[in-house]
Amino acid sequence: MCGIVGYVGGQSALDVVIAGLKRLEYRGYDSAGVAVLADGGLAAAKKAGKLVNLEKELVSRPLPAGSTGIGHTRWATHGGPTDANAHPHLDNAGRVAVVHNGIIENFAALRAELAERGHALRSETDTEVVAHLLAECHSATGDLAEAMRQVCRRLEGAFTLVAVDADEPDVVVGARRNSPLVVGVGEGEAFLASDVAAFIDHTRSAIELGQDQVVEVRRDAVTVTDFEGAPAEVRAYHVDWDASAAEKGGYDYFMLKEIAEQPRAVADTLLGRIDAAGSLTLDEIRIPATELREADKVVVVACGTAYHAGLIAKYAVEHWARIPCEVELASEFRYRDPILDHRTLVIAVSQSGETMDTLMALRHAREQGARVLAVCNTNGSTIPRESDAVLYTHAGPEVAVASTKAFLTQLVACYLLALYLAQVRGAKWGDEVRAVIRDLAGIAEEVERVLETMEPVRELARSLAAKNTVLFLGRHVGYPVALEGALKLKELAYMHAEGFAAGELKHGPIALIEPGVPVVVVVPSPRGRSLLHDKIVSNIQEIRARGALTIVIAEEGDESVVPYADHLVRVPATPVLLQPMVSTVPLQVFACELATARGNEVDQPRNLAKSVTVE
Ligand code: M6R
């Protein structure tokens, strides 16, 4: 939800900021804008639409060269995606410019107050009030960082702000409450950004800002305080991936690259967590074993794809660790007064670590005394910072809005956690745990095998480009996979897509079946739980009898589905609980290809942004 970049140093601020915005465009692409300090003044340009529109504008109306600047790429909340609502926003004298990520909840009152004092506000945004307030405070204090502190004390809601003032040409100031902001520290230059990807070409030295902090960056100094002005503690860290990880690397889309990276991401997430004897070593779980033993329930909170990973985690936690597990959409969680106490273990799953709904859910859980463990892909982000412990997934940066490799690695982390709970609570013997770990260790190779056989899936997707609806059915762990397949299709192909538990079919959804409707069925393994398998084979026959076009995902060697499959997609045989690791992959490829066939933007689907940092 909005990408922010700030720069001060020896290079052209405009070039650095535009390059940074390109890396952050996944966060929002409704409009883009920049401001640079040059020749004793401030020059700005902004344009509705993607960054490319701004770049064209800068060719026809170049800005003067300067070495301090800020930029923004927007996901609109208050005010439509127009030039006027694009950031940066300036004060009336055009001396202060500010960019913002988040929502300022009390902006209406502040706006009315500013209007009374004679300020003319030109946009419909909540952000513009900040530029005017900063200008007032700056003229009183002559210090942009102090002005920012004074303004932040008056703001309600979630905000990352980055501002410059023409009277302080070598300074960029930022502030952070609930939304992300990191500092990049280079040689004689400094950066502020929503995500390290914006400055990874220049430096891998980063500083993680805490909640309610204001940062002032100069070429050779970074000063961080709280909103009252007291010096604040921060954590410096080294970014452990390089610029190539944030590039397409020869693929047409980031999503294709990220799908292809899944075997490596899965293997990396297991790395260092299995010892030489094949046992589980999760040193990072700093919650004492006694507490894990005493926990009487697990609650997983997450959104979107991460929620689907949580739904699968439930099967593993309950089956292996024999502890009740609830899974809840983070956006619903705290509003229903959930029963939580010190014996509840909450698992917050999030790729970005910044999803506001998940953050609010975990804060609520901690307030009630629950222990919170984050499963997260982004080092130093807010969700792990505010959790009692974190199990990082090692997917590397995920840029495409549609989540793929993050999902598979979330599954790996959840399987590991479930096994760890089983180990600590004595629900499984050591050799049983080791047997599952052996299966998990082989999964990366199986994912690779699935990827090698995807051409027929792509062909099938292209042939369905004109359809309006695709339905997805699954049972057991195949049900969340069906939900995930439908979510991918909605967000990428903009088609009506729904996932159902196959057993629910006859309770209503079967009315949607009419001749030619494609239905993707995720068939569980015939081994182990064959009753489940046989039931879904009956479901396939029921929909086929009503004219559905059946697309069956079934494991190699399962011949019983062959007569009922109009299209058969084979996945390697895996233990029942691990099947989502292989059965999700064809659905990702299917959605990506359908989106392309329909002429949609794969990496930046309409109306979406990668990190949802507002509720
Ligand atoms: O960063 P998070 O994992 O917390 O994000 C959660 C969802 O917003 C995310 O998974 C979203 O549903 C994806 N765009 C789905 O592909």
Side-chain angles (χ1 to χ4, degrees):
M1 297 279 123
C2 303
I4 286 180
V5 189
Y7 175 74
V8 55
Q11 306 185 56
S12 153
L14 191 60
D15 291 348
V16 173
V17 166
I18 292 280
L21 290 179
K22 280 188 184 148
R23 288 272 170 75
L24 297 187
E25 212 180 3
Y26 71 88
R27 301 180 66 87
Y29 28 86
D30 286 334
S31 65
V34 286
V36 289
L37 300 184
D39 310 329
L42 183 152
K46 50 195 199 167
K47 215 65 202 147
K50 296 201 169 182
L51 189 57
V52 64
N53 295 358
L54 174 69
E55 288 183 287
K56 282 185 198 149
E57 169 78 3
L58 289 168
V59 170
S60 57
R61 208 175 56 83
L63 295 186
S67 53
T68 304
I70 60 176
H72 188 264
T73 177
R74 178 171 188 241
W75 187 85
T77 57
H78 291 60
T82 61
D83 288 357
N85 290 333
H87 300 210
H89 290 284
L90 274 54
D91 70 314
N92 282 149
R95 304 285 294 168
V96 175
V98 66
V99 291
H100 168 219
N101 173 29
I103 293 177
I104 294 164
E105 284 163 6
N106 58 335
F107 84 100
L110 294 170
R111 206 180 161 95
E113 187 191 294
L114 284 162
E116 251 177 47
R117 290 203 293 273
H119 292 258
L121 284 93
R122 306 179 192 101
S123 78
E124 303 157 294
T125 67
D126 51 337
T127 308
E128 194 181 358
V129 295
V130 177
H132 291 256
L133 290 170
L134 276 175
E136 282 187 344
C137 295
H138 189 253
S139 62
T141 61
D143 177 344
L144 186 59
E146 177 53 22
M148 183 65 91
R149 284 188 282 271
Q150 291 180 5
V151 172
C152 286
R153 296 201 288 267
R154 301 209 52 204
L155 303 181
E156 289 164 20
F159 47 84
T160 294
L161 297 162
V162 169
V164 287
D165 188 311
D167 293 331
E168 292 187 60
D170 300 318
V171 172
V172 182
V173 167
R176 173 181 186 274
R177 167 180 288 171
N178 288 343
S179 298
L181 185 63
V182 277
V183 184
V185 184
E187 289 283 318
E189 58 185 0
F191 308 78
L192 289 175
S194 310
D195 177 341
V196 293
F199 54 71
I200 195 73
D201 285 326
H202 307 279
T203 179
R204 288 165 76 178
S205 300
I207 295 174
E208 180 185 312
L209 291 181
Q211 181 71 344
D212 284 6
Q213 292 183 348
V214 166
V215 58
E216 178 196 82
V217 297
R218 296 169 180 268
R219 286 175 182 222
D220 48 11
V222 175
T223 313
V224 185
T225 68
D226 64 18
F227 284 176
E228 303 301 325
E233 270 191 28
V234 290
R235 186 180 79 94
Y237 65 103
H238 181 76
V239 183
D240 57 8
W241 47 271
D242 63 17
S244 65
E247 277 154 16
K248 284 187 200 153
Y251 288 87
D252 287 345
Y253 309 111
F254 277 107
M255 185 177 177
L256 286 174
K257 177 185 175 225
E258 289 160 9
I259 289 173
E261 283 173 343
Q262 291 184 110
R264 186 205 46 76
V266 165
D268 285 355
T269 301
L270 286 168
L271 208 67
R273 288 166 172 165
I274 302 171
D275 67 16
S279 301
L280 198 52
T281 51
L282 292 189
D283 297 340
E284 56 266 69
I285 299 189
R286 303 222 161 80
I287 301 175
T290 43
E291 286 187 31
L292 295 178
R293 256 177 237 125
E294 279 161 21
D296 61 4
K297 82 172 161 186
V298 172
V299 180
V300 184
V301 289
C303 300
T305 289
Y307 169 71
H308 297 154
L311 289 175
I312 293 165
K314 174 184 169 74
Y315 291 86
V317 168
E318 293 190 340
H319 186 66
W320 290 335
R322 305 306 297 155
I323 174 168
C325 178
E326 296 166 14
V327 190
E328 180 111 13
L329 287 168
S331 53
E332 290 292 318
F333 182 66
R334 68 185 172 126
Y335 300 105
R336 68 162 176 88
D337 195 13
I339 300 165
L340 304 162
D341 60 26
H342 66 284
R343 296 181 67 189
T344 315
L345 175 66
V346 172
I347 301 176
V349 186
S350 174
Q351 187 285 129
S352 62
E354 300 293 346
T355 299
M356 187 57 72
D357 291 308
T358 310
L359 179 62
M360 290 304 174
L362 88 80
R363 283 187 186 160
H364 182 75
R366 292 196 78 193
E367 276 161 23
Q368 311 297 308
R371 286 295 211 166
V372 178
L373 201 155
V375 169
C376 185
N377 194 42
T378 312
N379 196 327
S381 56
T382 312
I383 287 172
R385 278 172 58 89
E386 296 202 13
S387 299
D388 295 295
V390 54
L391 192 59
Y392 278 111
T393 52
H394 296 299
E398 191 181 65
V399 177
V401 166
S403 193
T404 53
K405 61 176 179 170
F407 178 71
L408 286 207
T409 57
Q410 282 160 355
L411 289 184
V412 171
C414 289
Y415 290 135
L416 291 177
L417 259 176
L419 281 177
Y420 186 72
L421 287 173
Q423 192 170 281
V424 166
R425 295 165 67 91
K428 273 205 176 294
W429 299 107
D431 55 346
E432 291 175 302
V433 172
R434 281 191 290 277
V436 182
I437 287 176
R438 265 197 307 279
D439 291 332
L440 262 177
I443 279 288
E445 246 172 66
E446 304 295 11
V447 175
E448 187 72 66
R449 283 215 294 133
V450 178
L451 288 170
E452 284 161 7
T453 59
M454 284 298 94
E455 195 42 44
V457 172
R458 281 189 276 271
E459 225 170 85
L460 170 65
R462 290 192 289 272
S463 74
L464 299 179
K467 296 279 181 188
N468 296 320
T469 293
V470 181
L471 303 178
F472 294 77
L473 300 180
R475 277 180 183 260
H476 193 257
V477 288
Y479 168 44
V481 172
L483 295 177
E484 176 61 6
L487 176 63
K488 287 283 101 76
L489 207 60
K490 275 182 250 198
E491 71 176 334
L492 292 167
Y494 317 151
M495 290 168 88
H496 171 233
E498 274 190 78
F500 300 107
E504 277 295 294
L505 205 60
K506 293 189 277 293
H507 301 284
I510 200 162
L512 291 170
I513 307 290
E514 52 186 36
V517 169
V519 185
V520 180
V521 189
V522 184
V523 178
S525 167
R527 294 160 301 117
R529 290 168 185 263
S530 60
L531 194 61
L532 198 66
H533 171 271
D534 297 350
K535 292 236 158 73
I536 211 161
V537 175
S538 304
N539 296 140
I540 303 174
Q541 293 175 61
E542 288 155 11
I543 53 169
R544 203 154 186 266
R546 286 159 180 84
L549 179 84
T550 57
I551 302 161
V552 175
I553 300 184
E555 75 172 41
E556 287 158 355
D558 179 357
E559 295 307 317
S560 60
V561 292
V562 174
Y564 316 115
D566 294 313
H567 298 273
L568 185 56
V569 180
R570 289 297 192 186
V571 290
T574 61
V576 175
L577 281 170
L578 304 190
Q579 201 206 37
M581 295 291 300
V582 290
S583 55
T584 309
V585 176
L587 304 186
Q588 299 168 340
V589 172
F590 182 68
C592 184
E593 191 68 21
L594 247 167
T596 315
R598 287 164 73 94
N600 297 351
E601 290 250 7
V602 170
D603 287 335
Q604 296 175 349
R606 70 182 180 204
N607 302 337
L608 291 170
K610 180 82 182 152
S611 319
V612 183
T613 55
V614 292
E615 274 187 280

